[in-house]
Amino acid sequence: MSEPLFPQASLPALQPALFEPPTQERLSVAAPARHRPRFLLLYGSLRERSYSKLAVLEAGRLLEAMGAEVRVFDPAGLPLVDGAPDTHPKVQELRALAQWSEGMVWCSPERHGAMTGLMKTQIDWIPLSSGAVRPTQGKTLAVMQVSGGSQSFNAVNQMRILGRWMRMLTIPNQSSVAKAFQEFDEAGRMKPSSYYDRIVDVMEELMKFTLLTRDVSPYLVDRYSERKEDAEALSRRVNQAKI
């Protein structure tokens, strides 16, 4: 074993009582969950023949074949953010599904070099926090896009940023289907192709990451800065009670 690079290092900015070095033991689970992994699938187009929806349905079939429980949210009727109260039935439906899920799949068409407004609206209606609960924190995410032209990654790159902002564990793999109108048959099923194979790869990886992390996600997203903030808030409340 090599000698420490910083023997007896002084850490004057650190609060030792709140410093918890990660350990392998904390990542071990005595009784892992046995229920089927739960996934929420979102798509970004209301067209009658929506290729993002067709791609999501293929992803859902694959996830179910792997043993998952799947829900697909229908965004028809979802109001614009701030255009209706959050008590709107479609908003409540979306938020309940987000809370229920352990992982998500987001698939958007690329429009004007970006994800669609509908896709962003769905994501924006899912709050970063709801009371003491963060509905998306620690949950897994796979991102996909469909394009009318050549292959692009603008939409998936944007969704990765959003997934990180919502504290989700976005898997490394992703899917981008070029000229999507050529990749589905008249019945709406995806034809055999390298694009289909990639979706299989992505769903396999999503399932693996979800099984790997769902039991320990609270520990994975536990942060020193938030433990410090909580401790300071508790201290203020205690001291206020003494006034």
Side-chain angles (χ1 to χ4, degrees):
M1 182 180 297
S2 61
E3 293 296 323
L5 185 61
F6 304 104
Q8 298 180 337
S10 175
L11 302 170
L14 192 71
Q15 292 190 17
L18 302 175
F19 181 56
E20 298 179 4
T23 65
Q24 186 68 46
E25 289 72 23
R26 293 289 301 274
L27 293 169
S28 301
V29 180
R34 295 299 180 188
H35 65 271
R36 291 187 292 164
R38 301 188 296 258
F39 294 100
L40 169 62
L41 280 53
L42 306 180
Y43 59 91
S45 169
L46 294 176
R47 289 179 176 176
E48 184 176 352
R49 187 171 169 84
S50 165
Y51 294 109
S52 61
K53 180 179 180 180
L54 295 179
V56 149
L57 294 178
E58 291 293 346
R61 293 183 186 101
L62 289 164
L63 287 169
E64 285 193 344
M66 296 174 196
E69 188 175 355
V70 173
R71 298 287 182 271
V72 179
F73 177 70
D74 178 2
L78 182 70
L80 292 173
V81 176
D82 299 330
D86 59 12
T87 54
H88 189 284
K90 292 297 291 188
V91 176
Q92 290 296 298
E93 178 189 355
L94 175 59
R95 290 185 172 186
L97 287 171
Q99 186 63 43
W100 164 86
S101 69
E102 295 171 322
M104 295 189 195
V105 178
W106 297 349
C107 183
S108 176
E110 181 172 320
R111 187 169 297 162
H112 299 312
M115 79 180 79
T116 61
L118 179 64
M119 193 75 228
K120 185 64 162 56
T121 294
Q122 293 175 84
I123 297 168
D124 283 348
W125 269 122
I126 302 172
L128 291 175
S129 63
S130 180
V133 176
R134 290 191 172 95
T136 54
Q137 178 169 256
K139 297 183 179 183
T140 53
L141 171 65
V143 293
M144 309 195 305
Q145 75 169 73
V146 294
S147 302
S150 59
Q151 192 175 43
S152 171
F153 300 94
N154 290 325
V156 288
N157 288 339
Q158 288 182 322
M159 288 187 285
R160 282 190 175 279
I161 293 172
L162 290 171
R164 183 173 70 241
W165 189 256
M166 299 182 75
R167 298 182 172 185
M168 302 185 77
L169 304 174
T170 308
I171 66 170
N173 214 340
Q174 61 188 23
S175 167
S176 175
V177 181
K179 296 182 180 179
F181 60 90
Q182 296 180 347
E183 299 302 322
F184 295 85
D185 63 21
E186 292 183 0
R189 295 304 304 272
M190 198 167 184
K191 302 173 185 177
S193 69
S194 60
Y195 294 129
Y196 179 78
D197 294 346
R198 175 57 67 90
I199 291 179
V200 179
D201 291 347
V202 173
M203 293 308 109
E204 281 185 348
E205 190 169 293
L206 177 64
M207 189 73 164
K208 291 172 184 176
F209 271 74
T210 305
L211 292 170
L212 183 67
T213 63
R214 66 174 179 172
D215 291 310
V216 294
S217 62
Y219 179 58
L220 291 175
V221 297
D222 182 46
R223 295 170 173 83
Y224 167 77
S225 61
E226 293 180 355
R227 293 195 297 272
K228 181 180 175 183
E229 183 179 357
D230 291 343
E232 290 172 350
L234 175 62
S235 177
R236 286 194 297 270
R237 287 197 301 271
V238 171
N239 290 334
Q240 188 177 30
K242 294 178 180 178
I243 297 176

